[in-house]
Amino acid sequence: ALGVALQRTNVLRDLALDARAGRVYAPREDLSACGVDPARLGAATAPPGARRLVLQLAARAREAFARAKSALPGDAGRALAPALGMAGAYEGVLARIEQDPGRVWRERVRAPLAERAARILAAALFSK
């Protein structure tokens, strides 16, 4: 579930960049349901329907993060601290995309280094 959450976040983060390179990883059914023309994903600005598409894909990523967290064994936290730190960092990226879905057309969305480091450190220190 964590791998799925990370990959879904990657797809969102790189949606426009990948399209500009001729790659589209968003499901065709979602593109169609949101009225997004895959040929327009690589445009300089978000195409019509993009906000709906991004938020729909983000909701699936959130669900996968929730499934991953609920599947954690109670005694495996410390052993999984690196993965949990990565999850935290990616959740920071996902939160930024959810706040501004059009941002993926302007830049490669990242959480600031200090935030990523804090999330990773918190996972390492506070995992049981």
Side-chain angles (χ1 to χ4, degrees):
L2 180 56
V4 169
L6 298 175
Q7 189 58 33
R8 287 179 186 227
T9 304
N10 277 336
V11 167
L12 276 170
R13 181 195 63 199
D14 299 337
L15 194 63
L17 290 172
D18 283 338
R20 291 174 190 141
R23 299 182 304 266
V24 175
Y25 298 112
R28 289 181 198 265
E29 307 83 47
D30 292 332
L31 292 165
S32 179
C34 295
V36 176
D37 179 357
R40 304 248 353 251
L41 280 177
T45 59
R51 179 180 175 76
R52 181 175 167 212
L53 173 69
V54 168
L55 293 176
Q56 185 171 303
L57 295 174
R60 287 196 195 128
R62 281 270 172 227
E63 290 168 10
F65 277 117
R67 281 194 313 274
K69 288 177 183 174
S70 70
L72 282 174
D75 60 349
R78 179 108 28 221
L80 294 175
L84 296 173
M86 180 173 265
Y90 271 69
E91 284 184 295
V93 170
L94 184 58
R96 282 168 174 73
I97 293 170
E98 289 169 321
Q99 289 169 0
D100 180 4
R103 191 171 176 180
V104 298
W105 278 269
R106 298 188 305 272
E107 64 181 293
R108 189 167 197 233
V109 180
R110 297 173 192 252
L113 180 59
E115 179 184 324
R116 291 191 315 253
R119 288 175 181 262
I120 291 168
L121 184 60
L125 293 176
F126 301 110
S127 297
K128 296 180 181 178

